[in-house]
Amino acid sequence: MIDKDWLEDSIKEQAQLKFAARWENAEFDSSETRQAFQAIKNTNEWAMFKQVMIKAYEKAITNNVLNQLQGIKNLIHDAGEE
């Protein structure tokens, strides 16, 4: 059986990894762009953006998991009717 805390922690971890892959690990062609992006990452606005985006990713991942679970529930229900 899946533990609720484990599932919540896994969703949070996936959201953080998704954010890092999209934003924190971004690569740029020029050093000027890299420096400008690094300067942005050192602001309070970046910290707020990161927090909001991770919450948005958590919500999307949670919705996806719930939709998949509903699909499994429907399959089980349909199998029981035959």
Side-chain angles (χ1 to χ4, degrees):
M1 181 122 203
I2 295 177
D3 180 67
K4 180 182 173 187
D5 292 334
W6 175 85
L7 183 58
E8 289 174 349
D9 290 343
S10 295
I11 290 171
K12 287 179 182 180
E13 181 179 341
Q14 286 300 311
Q16 291 170 352
L17 291 172
K18 189 171 184 173
F19 179 83
R22 173 66 176 96
W23 297 101
E24 290 185 337
N25 299 331
E27 294 185 19
F28 301 100
D29 294 334
S30 73
S31 62
E32 183 180 353
T33 305
R34 279 190 296 277
Q35 288 174 349
F37 187 66
Q38 188 61 41
I40 290 169
K41 286 171 58 176
N42 292 328
T43 64
N44 290 335
E45 288 81 4
W46 177 261
M48 185 178 293
F49 172 74
K50 180 178 178 177
Q51 183 180 25
V52 169
M53 288 302 296
I54 289 174
K55 287 291 181 195
Y57 287 140
E58 285 177 15
K59 183 176 180 181
I61 293 167
T62 299
N63 286 338
N64 188 29
V65 168
L66 293 175
N67 286 335
Q68 290 175 359
L69 290 174
Q70 184 61 45
I72 292 170
K73 182 179 176 183
N74 291 343
L75 284 173
I76 292 169
H77 182 266
D78 292 346
E81 291 183 354
E82 294 180 12

